Amino acid sequence: MARTHNLFLLSVLLLAVAVTYASADGYGEHKSSYPKPYAPPKIVSDVVVEGVVYCQSCKHSGSWSFQDAKPIGGAIVSVTCRNYRNRITYYKTFTANNEGYFYAQLQGFSMRHPYLDHPLQACVVKLVSSPLENCDAYTNINYGENGAKLRFEKKKIMSKNYDAVVYAAGPLAFLPEYCTPDEY
């Protein structure tokens, strides 16, 4: 009887050792206790374009003056980027907030060629539409009708897992379609 008892204890001990060995090798249900190799956090990098859309005063139509201009909330602008072969590689519209300010995150924008497809050479901002019926005629102030080039003003946003390079365009403007003579 003692011999049977000893064999039983020896079997249980061998089984415990086998389970522990299998777990340490990663074959058991428990995860390995070995530390994982260091992987740096993924950093999201964005290209951003910002600017303001105004309604130009009739007094200053025909000029590039923003005196007496009022911001247009809800104005829509587009960002179009072309590659060095003049093919459109990015197009998206963005809506200005209540102060006429737009912040266009160019998600999905990529540069295949680091110099020729750079946003400063490749992208332009254009006026699309104004929500104001009394101020919806296009102007070419800062080339808003033909395509405003981007400017780099040394503005960057940097945090732990996010980097963005911010470019500026404009300011851009719509104009009332009809200005009465006393408004000039």
Side-chain angles (χ1 to χ4, degrees):
M1 172 101 164
R3 186 178 170 121
T4 310
H5 184 65
N6 286 342
L7 279 175
F8 175 73
L9 287 175
L10 184 61
S11 301
V12 169
L13 182 62
L14 286 174
L15 184 63
V17 169
V19 167
T20 305
Y21 178 74
S23 295
D25 285 342
Y27 295 108
E29 293 180 25
H30 302 288
K31 293 191 176 187
S32 174
S33 61
Y34 296 113
K36 293 182 180 179
Y38 173 76
K42 186 176 180 181
I43 296 175
V44 176
S45 294
D46 269 340
V47 175
V48 175
V49 179
E50 66 179 358
V52 181
V53 181
Y54 291 97
C55 177
Q56 187 184 36
S57 168
C58 282
K59 279 194 261 186
H60 302 287
S61 69
S63 73
W64 280 27
S65 173
F66 284 95
Q67 188 174 355
D68 301 323
K70 298 193 175 16
I72 301 177
I76 299 174
V77 298
S78 70
V79 178
T80 306
C81 302
R82 296 177 179 270
N83 66 11
Y84 64 97
R85 293 183 178 163
N86 206 28
R87 295 182 182 143
I88 294 176
T89 57
Y90 185 87
Y91 177 84
K92 191 170 181 183
T93 59
F94 299 92
T95 305
N97 67 9
N98 291 339
E99 288 84 32
Y101 173 78
F102 63 89
Y103 183 85
Q105 259 181 302
L106 307 187
Q107 293 177 332
F109 173 77
S110 65
M111 294 184 292
R112 296 198 193 278
H113 192 284
Y115 298 109
L116 301 176
D117 291 343
H118 193 277
L120 287 174
Q121 287 80 27
C123 302
V124 295
V125 177
K126 291 184 178 183
L127 295 169
V128 175
S129 68
S130 169
L132 304 177
E133 289 181 21
N134 62 345
C135 191
D136 60 356
Y138 296 102
T139 70
N140 206 26
I141 297 173
N142 290 319
Y143 305 103
E145 189 173 9
N146 294 339
K149 293 279 189 186
L150 306 185
R151 297 182 315 274
F152 180 61
E153 297 178 343
K154 298 179 183 174
K155 186 174 179 182
K156 294 182 180 184
I157 299 171
M158 299 174 83
S159 68
K160 184 176 180 181
N161 296 334
Y162 180 78
D163 288 343
V165 178
V166 182
Y167 297 95
L172 309 174
F174 286 96
L175 179 70
E177 200 164 325
Y178 301 105
C179 293
T180 59
D182 61 338
E183 291 178 305
Y184 287 109

